[in-house]
Amino acid sequence: MLALLGFLMVAVFMYLIMSRRLSALVALIVVPVVFALISGFGTEIGDMMLAGIKKIAPTGIMLLFAILYFGVMMDAGLFDPLIKKIVKMVKGDPLKVIVGTAILATLVALDGDGTTTYMITVTAMLPLYRKLGIRPMILAVMPMLALGVMNMTPWGGPTARVMSVLHMDVSEIFVPVIPVMIGGIAWVMIVACILGKQERKRLGIMEIPDEDLQSLAGQEEVAATDETAALKRPRLIWFNLLLTAALMVGLITSFLPLPTMFMLAFAIALFVNYPKMQDQKERIAAHAANALATVSMVFAAGIFTGILTETKMIDAMASTLVSWIPDSLGSHMPLLVALTSMPFTYFMSNDAYYFGIVPILANAAAAYGIDPAEIGRASILGQPLHVLSPLFAAQYLLIGMVGVDYAETQKFVLKWAFGTSMVMIVLALLTGVISF
């Protein structure tokens, strides 16, 4: 019964947001509460909601200060040189702009952090998209697809979880998957070309003077305003670059908890770039709306996951799904795990899937003589779908920055993300990363 209610809850949630009956924020709060009441957990709902909020609080804090930090960096002009170079290369060709977006997102996503990837990519490319009239939805698609592949790096999270739960090292899990990831990135570039050709056919190629190209970098409009120019800190660009580089190293090495790193980096950046109290207040206020919209969604998602976890619905759903695998398909477990990793990682958090389900799948596969490493490698091939999950907090930041609708984004991106996973699964089979 709990498994049935869990699946029904997810289905109702997806229907309500896809059909635009409810906003994602409202649905994330209301739907799980209703199903908890139906399940007979009325007196425990408050504790369940609070448990979910507490668990996701570090993520919410990290996103809050990440938005503020990168907002200050944008205001100060840290990314202007990089943006100007990219903008100059792609000029007014929608195809080059979209391919450039995919390349930039892939490079930034090397750190495995969705927040960083989305903020830098959107900041760099949004003014050019607006100038050329390219659909903003495409600016949401390309970073998502790139991150879906690059999130498979050991420091991205999923691979580290697999290695820890199966007690294996990088050479067993990650290294064999590198050619598959390269194929996944190639697919992302193909998608960029497909969408780029569509936009080029629709819009044509616009001739943009070099001076306008330069002014596009980091600006909301073509011409830079006096107010925007006053915010720039060209003399501090090397300090800001070193501070950001140190932050990226910290993200990879995790020598401090992520929320505290972003809080510390933001405080330093704000004080050094804008030492006057009034300027500091104005910079915080300028990015407050974006921060509030993102963090509110994150805490709402905490309620959703809290009820799903504390009611044990997630455990029942996992057991049910595993029990559906017939014994006759046991020898094909790696392929089955790869295919099921897409819905599993979409509907569940990475912690729930990799710590709760993957060990069960690995033990089941061992009974058929299958190396647990294959199961581990197969389990990360669904990550392109995970970055679309309502439980993946960074996507709310991306959607808010680009200014697109959550439900429409899901509809548009889903088929391309599914294609990314399928391409990697096929390549994994052909290269022997997983067996059939």
Side-chain angles (χ1 to χ4, degrees):
M1 181 60 72
L2 278 177
L4 177 61
L5 287 170
F7 287 123
L8 188 59
M9 183 175 90
V10 172
V12 169
F13 168 75
M14 295 306 298
Y15 168 75
L16 289 173
I17 61 170
M18 290 290 192
S19 62
R20 307 183 75 172
R21 298 288 197 283
L22 289 178
S23 68
L25 178 64
V26 174
L28 282 167
I29 298 171
V30 173
V31 172
V33 169
V34 170
F35 274 85
L37 289 171
I38 294 173
S39 305
F41 292 96
T43 59
E44 303 169 53
I45 289 178
D47 291 336
M48 291 177 176
M49 295 168 72
L50 193 57
I53 292 172
K54 286 179 178 178
K55 189 170 184 180
I56 209 165
T59 300
I61 294 168
M62 182 198 73
L63 284 174
L64 170 62
F65 284 94
I67 293 168
L68 295 175
Y69 176 81
F70 284 107
V72 169
M73 290 295 105
M74 295 168 206
D75 294 336
L78 171 63
F79 304 110
D80 285 0
L82 174 64
I83 294 169
K84 287 176 181 177
K85 190 163 288 188
I86 294 172
V87 169
K88 190 173 182 179
M89 289 172 60
V90 301
K91 294 188 179 294
D93 186 347
L95 172 59
K96 292 181 180 179
V97 170
I98 295 170
V99 172
T101 303
I103 293 172
L104 176 62
T106 301
L107 293 174
V108 179
L110 276 169
D111 74 345
D113 180 64
T115 302
T116 307
T117 301
Y118 293 158
M119 292 202 73
I120 294 178
T121 304
V122 174
T123 302
M125 305 308 293
L126 184 58
L128 194 56
Y129 273 67
R130 289 177 173 171
K131 172 67 177 178
L132 298 178
I134 301 173
R135 288 177 292 168
M137 183 64 72
I138 296 174
L139 185 52
V141 172
M142 300 321 304
M144 278 185 167
L145 295 183
L147 182 65
V149 178
M150 300 309 294
N151 199 40
M152 294 163 61
T153 55
W155 50 87
T159 303
R161 289 174 172 86
V162 171
M163 291 189 296
S164 64
V165 79
L166 297 182
H167 308 292
M168 294 181 177
D169 60 28
V170 172
S171 64
E172 294 173 286
I173 301 296
F174 175 66
V175 174
V177 179
I178 292 176
V180 176
M181 291 178 62
I182 293 172
I185 290 299
W187 164 255
V188 174
M189 298 306 161
I190 291 171
V191 174
C193 289
I194 292 171
L195 297 176
K197 287 182 178 179
Q198 291 176 358
E199 292 300 280
R200 178 195 273 176
K201 182 178 180 181
R202 185 174 71 89
L203 300 168
I205 300 176
M206 182 183 296
E207 292 296 329
I208 304 178
D210 287 344
E211 57 269 21
D212 285 351
L213 280 172
Q214 296 302 318
S215 65
L216 274 172
Q219 304 298 326
E220 295 296 322
E221 304 295 339
V222 175
T225 64
D226 292 339
E227 181 183 356
T228 303
L231 296 175
K232 301 299 180 185
R233 297 293 186 267
R235 294 182 179 179
L236 293 172
I237 191 166
W238 286 108
F239 172 82
N240 289 331
L241 182 61
L242 288 173
L243 180 61
T244 303
L247 179 60
M248 294 302 101
V249 171
L251 289 174
I252 295 171
T253 60
S254 299
F255 74 91
L256 282 177
L258 294 186
T260 59
M261 274 195 287
F262 271 109
M263 292 174 74
L264 183 60
F266 166 69
I268 295 171
L270 187 64
F271 174 75
V272 172
N273 286 276
Y274 305 101
K276 294 181 180 179
M277 186 71 70
Q278 184 59 35
D279 290 342
Q280 293 178 8
K281 290 180 179 179
E282 289 175 357
R283 291 305 88 221
I284 293 172
H287 302 288
N290 190 22
L292 176 62
T294 300
V295 176
S296 62
M297 289 283 279
V298 171
F299 284 111
I303 291 176
F304 189 95
T305 56
I307 289 177
L308 199 62
T309 303
E310 297 298 318
T311 58
K312 305 299 181 184
M313 286 184 189
I314 197 76
D315 296 333
M317 292 165 70
S319 299
T320 300
L321 287 170
V322 172
S323 69
W324 285 348
I325 301 175
D327 290 338
S328 59
L329 296 178
S331 60
H332 305 299
M333 281 286 285
L335 176 59
L336 288 174
V337 171
L339 293 172
T340 57
S341 69
M342 290 185 278
F344 268 132
T345 56
Y346 182 86
F347 292 118
M348 297 181 183
S349 67
N350 276 337
D351 285 342
Y353 177 57
Y354 290 108
F355 293 134
I357 294 180
V358 169
I360 298 173
L361 295 173
N363 288 334
Y368 297 95
I370 297 170
D371 187 349
E374 281 195 53
I375 301 301
R377 294 193 289 265
S379 69
I380 63 177
L381 297 177
Q383 280 301 301
L385 274 292
H386 174 70
V387 299
L388 304 182
S389 169
L391 308 179
F392 187 70
Q395 70 167 316
Y396 301 122
L397 169 65
L398 174 66
I399 290 167
M401 290 185 70
V402 177
V404 291
D405 179 72
Y406 178 86
E408 291 300 317
T409 304
Q410 290 279 314
K411 291 178 185 178
F412 192 88
V413 182
L414 195 59
K415 59 181 179 293
W416 301 114
F418 177 76
T420 307
S421 278
M422 289 306 301
V423 165
M424 291 198 295
I425 289 171
V426 170
L427 288 173
L429 289 169
L430 292 175
T431 56
V433 171
I434 61 173
S435 61
F436 178 72

